[in-house]
């Protein structure tokens, strides 16, 4: 069975674990390099990106995560996780892991709109709109040539994929709709298929 890790240094870990179970997967928490070594895929949840970048350094997870993802481990970042995974963060001098070729802007949807539920059209998930929950969410200002834009809100990118890396500005773990979690599980299966056919 595929083991999916959730980075559990800070943020909405429990909600992702529950959503993964609803989608039929078995999640485990990742707080150390040893725990990272036991999982086949990783989710970086919502939280506070500056705090988590510092904690990643402190526990020695920065380099191992970058290494595993570059070697093909599927990664999904939600909200803060998207910021941490991005190549660039606009307007601030803040480090990130550079695992997906996008530029994001933090807290971009504006003060009056700090938290919102927006119906998103996501062709990759079928015709039914997806309830996008945005909480002090980033938007995507630039996508590299290999990045697939999967959803927009008000003309701004909010869901993207580049190979084995998925990123969403919104929080699918806070809804009862499991389609994004199932999309990620399919990514993991196809990544595993690529590996075994290459072997
Ligand atoms: N505003 C947070 C940040 O910049 C992200 C918010 C979230 O993950 N819900 O890190």
């Amino acid at each position: 069975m595929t083991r999916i890790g959730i980075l559990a240094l800070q943020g909405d870990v429990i909600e992702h674990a529950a959503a993964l179970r609803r989608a039929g997967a078995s999640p485990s928490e990742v707080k150390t390099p040893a725990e990272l070594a036991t999982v086949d895929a990783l989710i970086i949840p919502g939280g506070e990106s500056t705090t988590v970048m510092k904690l990643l350094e402190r526990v020695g997870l920065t380099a191992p995560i970058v290494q595993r993802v570059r070697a093909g481990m599927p990664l999904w970042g939600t909200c803060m996780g998207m910021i941490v995974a991005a190549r660039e963060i606009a307007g601030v001098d803040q480090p990130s892991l550079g695992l997906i070729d996008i530029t994001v802007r933090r807290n971009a949807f504006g003060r009056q709109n700090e938290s919102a539920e927006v119906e998103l059209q996501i062709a990759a998930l079928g015709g039914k709109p997806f309830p996008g929950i945005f909480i002090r969410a980033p938007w995507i200002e630039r996508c590299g040539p290999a990045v697939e834009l999967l959803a927009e809100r008000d003309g701004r990118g909010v869901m993207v994929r580049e190979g084995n890396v998925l990123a969403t500005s919104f929080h699918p773990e806070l809804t009862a709709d499991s389609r994004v979690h199932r999309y990620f599980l399919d990514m993991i299966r196809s990544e595993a298929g690529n590996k075994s056919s290459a072997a």
Side-chain angles (χ1 to χ4, degrees):
M1 179 146 194
T2 311
R3 286 149 306 172
I4 303 179
I6 306 170
L7 184 70
L9 300 176
Q10 190 254 349
D12 69 334
V13 177
I14 292 167
E15 292 81 355
H16 264 296
L20 282 169
R21 282 192 202 99
R22 284 199 300 276
S26 70
S28 63
E29 295 195 354
V30 170
K31 296 196 190 84
T32 63
E35 286 167 345
L36 179 69
T38 68
V39 301
D40 305 303
L42 184 69
I43 291 178
I44 304 183
E48 188 54 45
S49 54
T50 47
T51 309
V52 166
M53 282 304 296
K54 282 183 205 142
L55 293 173
L56 282 172
E57 272 301 314
R58 192 176 303 163
V59 300
L61 269 170
T62 310
I65 289 175
V66 170
Q67 223 166 34
R68 288 286 309 276
V69 175
R70 293 219 173 115
M73 178 181 72
L75 173 74
W76 174 18
T78 57
C79 201
M80 171 272 275
M82 169 191 268
I83 299 167
V84 166
R87 170 157 299 168
E88 256 178 325
I89 305 170
V92 289
D93 183 18
Q94 182 182 327
S96 58
L97 300 181
L99 293 169
I100 180 165
D101 188 14
I102 55 174
T103 303
V104 299
R105 185 172 294 273
R106 295 178 61 195
N107 306 322
F109 284 102
R111 265 177 179 275
Q112 68 282 23
N113 228 337
E114 283 205 331
S115 184
E117 181 167 336
V118 179
E119 295 218 318
L120 301 171
Q121 287 301 334
I122 308 178
L125 302 183
K128 199 172 121 218
F130 189 88
I133 297 182
F134 291 81
I135 303 168
R136 291 170 50 78
W139 69 34
I140 298 162
E141 299 204 338
R142 181 195 63 85
C143 288
V147 174
E148 199 183 341
L149 181 61
L150 296 171
E152 288 181 320
R153 170 185 168 191
D154 304 333
R156 299 291 187 167
V158 293
M159 178 173 178
V160 283
R161 175 176 176 181
E162 183 178 10
N164 57 324
V165 182
L166 176 69
T168 55
S169 299
F170 51 98
H171 293 270
E173 74 283 9
L174 300 181
T175 68
D177 192 324
S178 318
R179 283 179 292 162
V180 184
H181 284 81
R182 282 189 267 126
Y183 179 90
F184 186 57
L185 296 181
D186 285 343
M187 268 175 68
I188 297 169
R189 274 180 221 117
S190 70
E191 211 44 57
N194 289 346
K195 259 195 199 138
S196 56
S197 58

